[in-house]
Amino acid sequence: MDYLQIQGPTKLSGTVTISGAKNAALPLITLTLLAHNKLTVSNMPEVVDIKTLLKLLGNLGASYTLEDHILTMDTSSVNDTMANYDIVKTMRASILVLGPLLARFGHCEVSLPGGCAIGQRPIDLHLKAMEQMGATITIHAGYVHAVAPEGLKGAHIIFDKITVTGTANVVMAAALAHGKSVLVNCAKEPEVVQLCEILRDSGIDITGIGTSELTIIGTGGKTIDMVDFEIIPDRIEAGTYLCAGAITGSTITLDKVRHDHLDAVTAKLEQMGCTIDITESTMTIHPSEKLKHVHIITQEYPAFPTDMQAQFLALATLASGTSIIEERLFENRFMHVSELQRLGADIMLNGHTATVIGETPLFGADVMATDLRASSALVLAAMAAEGTTNVHRIYHLDRGYEDLEGKLRLLGAKIERLKE
Ligand code: UD1
């Protein structure tokens, strides 16, 4: 197993190029199951989660190539509708094949994703929506069996809770359903918006894009002539590098970034005393002389993203005064707290709220990554800590950050990947 060794404290400088968004790419890969043509997708992030999902599509019968961040995909040869446990257990987002497979073939069998490190993360809202669209769902031997022999029917669906992959799954199902679907209380994340825009550009009648209510007229089972597209920049990777500038007191520039997807993150960095210059495709962070404390509440987009909570928690350990960080989306997303404490952070946890006493000196130690974003928070803290930090179990990082250590090294970090 690999681990990262980081020497701190460190200063960074220069420019980092942001990769395509993993969380946009995952649903967009499953979207290609609705196409009858071969298509090309550019700016594909080359991270483990993407390779896992491509393997799943390959198992279903799709043929693809991925080279230099360009994916060519042909799903016309797909002849299997079973997403088996071996792959789904390693990546919850595999559930994104449910809507497209059911809509195209009238049936599918998808392993239940089960729990994950950051909480229970059920898929009840995905399943309820498919039932409202006329599917019969049974759960047997750990698999969701979904059947709709006459195809899916458009429906009026009100999501009880805002769900990102749930919205994506139902939008894809509705695109091939018979008749009109009205989806209420949808996620408005940029990744969902891109999915809807590609469907619109491919000829699907879809309105309300970017709002919480989407109306979609389905094709009645006919597959789509899908346009080629480019994945949007990864706003969470970008936010993580902005935090890298802030935590090391460095000026760095992010290239190939969408600043309009980062407004909530930028606002919090500015409240902490940083300055951010923007151009159409770059963001430059100038650090604060002295970071100020902050109050963060994670919520759905456009509010502050839960995927940036761990990184800001690391930042708050260096800020003056007491910061409050409230996690409202996932019940168990504070596992990085005990690891940050190993570096010397002073953090109190009370249910969904972390209280961070700032200006505690951090010292290098051995720490363990617990989930994807928690891992990057540990790397950030390690760059500010005095001495050597070893971050273990970095397979979490590899799932979603493309070449994190290579990019940080180019910025001047002392970071190495070693074998246990
Ligand atoms: C997506 C992102 C993840 C991010 C999260 C929240 C991807 C691949 N992953 O995850 O990085 O942290 O959004 O922004 O895009 N819920 C239910 N029932 C359901 C579905 C969800 O109760 O059927 C709950 C969840 O437990 C959670 C909340 O709704 O409390 C939001 O989850 P959701 O938006 O679905 O997260 P994901 O799409 O899994």
Side-chain angles (χ1 to χ4, degrees):
M1 229 189 282
D2 293 354
Y3 68 100
L4 289 178
Q5 187 165 79
I6 299 149
Q7 309 290 338
T10 189
K11 280 272 179 204
L12 307 177
S13 62
T15 299
V16 58
T17 303
I18 300 305
S19 297
K22 169 187 82 82
N23 285 355
L26 291 169
L28 293 175
I29 287 171
T30 65
L31 178 72
T32 66
L33 285 165
L34 303 184
H36 51 241
N37 55 309
K38 184 172 172 181
L39 63 139
T40 302
V41 183
S42 50
N43 206 26
M44 184 60 69
E46 295 193 8
V47 295
V48 171
D49 271 6
I50 295 300
K51 290 173 187 162
T52 306
L53 187 61
L54 289 174
K55 192 169 156 206
L56 173 54
L57 262 76
N59 288 351
L60 298 176
S63 56
Y64 64 88
T65 59
L66 175 61
E67 217 171 302
D68 278 342
H69 303 97
I70 297 188
L71 173 75
T72 60
M73 174 62 81
D74 185 354
T75 65
S76 61
S77 48
V78 168
N79 53 9
D80 195 347
T81 55
M82 174 176 278
N84 68 38
Y85 177 69
D86 288 347
I87 289 194
V88 179
K89 73 167 191 243
T90 64
M91 194 183 59
R92 286 185 45 81
S94 315
I95 193 64
L96 283 162
V97 297
L98 175 78
L101 285 178
L102 180 59
R104 176 165 154 190
F105 295 101
H107 65 92
C108 66
E109 306 75 35
V110 181
S111 172
L112 277 171
C116 84
I118 63 172
Q120 222 187 14
R121 298 179 89 179
I123 53 159
D124 55 316
L125 302 176
H126 302 232
L127 301 184
K128 195 172 146 204
M130 299 301 160
E131 281 178 334
Q132 282 181 270
M133 296 177 86
T136 305
I137 308 266
T138 49
I139 310 252
H140 179 66
Y143 279 78
V144 175
H145 296 258
V147 192
E150 309 294 315
L152 293 170
K153 298 189 294 280
H156 189 254
I157 292 163
I158 303 172
F159 289 103
D160 291 340
K161 248 185 178 182
I162 299 175
T163 160
V164 177
T165 49
T167 302
N169 234 339
V170 179
V171 164
M172 292 188 280
L176 250 60
H178 295 265
K180 176 165 125 180
S181 293
V182 179
L183 315 181
V184 180
N185 201 26
C186 294
K188 293 179 285 191
E189 269 66 2
E191 295 77 17
V192 173
V193 170
Q194 181 170 35
L195 176 86
C196 295
E197 285 173 347
I198 291 162
L199 281 169
R200 183 200 56 202
D201 295 348
S202 304
I204 298 293
D205 182 348
I206 173 167
T207 51
I209 297 177
T211 75
S212 59
E213 183 168 321
L214 294 164
T215 302
I216 302 165
I217 314 290
T219 62
K222 287 199 235 26
T223 48
I224 300 170
D225 195 16
M226 201 169 286
V227 292
D228 293 340
F229 55 88
E230 177 176 343
I231 309 278
I232 54 170
D234 195 315
R235 64 194 167 98
I236 305 301
E237 188 197 22
T240 304
Y241 284 103
L242 289 175
C243 287
I247 206 164
T248 59
S250 312
T251 295
I252 59 170
T253 297
L254 281 50
D255 192 18
K256 282 191 156 181
V257 65
R258 282 277 300 261
H259 64 81
D260 54 325
H261 292 166
L262 281 150
D263 286 345
V265 170
T266 308
K268 288 297 163 190
L269 286 168
E270 285 173 347
Q271 281 171 31
M272 294 181 89
C274 302
T275 315
I276 292 161
D277 297 333
I278 54 173
T279 70
E280 205 182 318
S281 63
T282 70
M283 294 175 85
T284 299
I285 179 158
H286 304 284
S288 156
E289 287 271 293
K290 182 80 216 91
L291 282 170
K292 294 186 213 121
H293 62 272
V294 70
H295 184 179
I296 284 172
I297 302 174
T298 68
Q299 266 164 325
E300 294 86 1
Y301 190 86
F304 189 90
T306 173
D307 285 354
M308 285 303 301
Q309 178 256 101
Q311 299 89 318
F312 270 75
L313 213 145
L315 209 50
T317 65
L318 299 191
S320 62
T322 301
S323 296
I324 306 287
I325 302 198
E326 295 178 50
E327 173 56 56
R328 295 266 180 93
L329 286 178
F330 294 111
E331 73 269 23
N332 191 23
R333 206 172 196 177
F334 276 129
M335 280 173 309
H336 40 287
V337 165
S338 51
E339 299 305 304
L340 287 170
Q341 284 166 338
R342 291 175 61 77
L343 298 174
D346 188 353
I347 306 167
M348 280 167 294
L349 257 190
N350 187 2
H352 295 288
T353 305
T355 304
V356 188
I357 314 293
E359 292 183 285
T360 42
L362 301 180
F363 294 99
D366 281 276
V367 291
M368 200 170 74
T370 48
D371 71 58
L372 173 57
R373 306 306 171 185
S375 320
S376 64
L378 296 176
V379 172
L380 293 176
M383 289 194 296
E386 189 76 43
T388 304
T389 298
N390 296 314
V391 183
H392 302 276
R393 299 207 183 167
I394 52 161
Y395 51 84
H396 290 292
L397 265 181
D398 294 335
R399 286 185 40 213
Y401 284 93
E402 185 171 323
D403 192 20
L404 180 78
E405 77 267 22
K407 290 188 184 188
L408 283 174
R409 223 181 357 254
L410 266 182
L411 292 172
K414 295 179 209 93
I415 179 167
E416 258 191 291
R417 180 180 286 253
L418 300 168
K419 294 258 177 242
E420 298 280 4

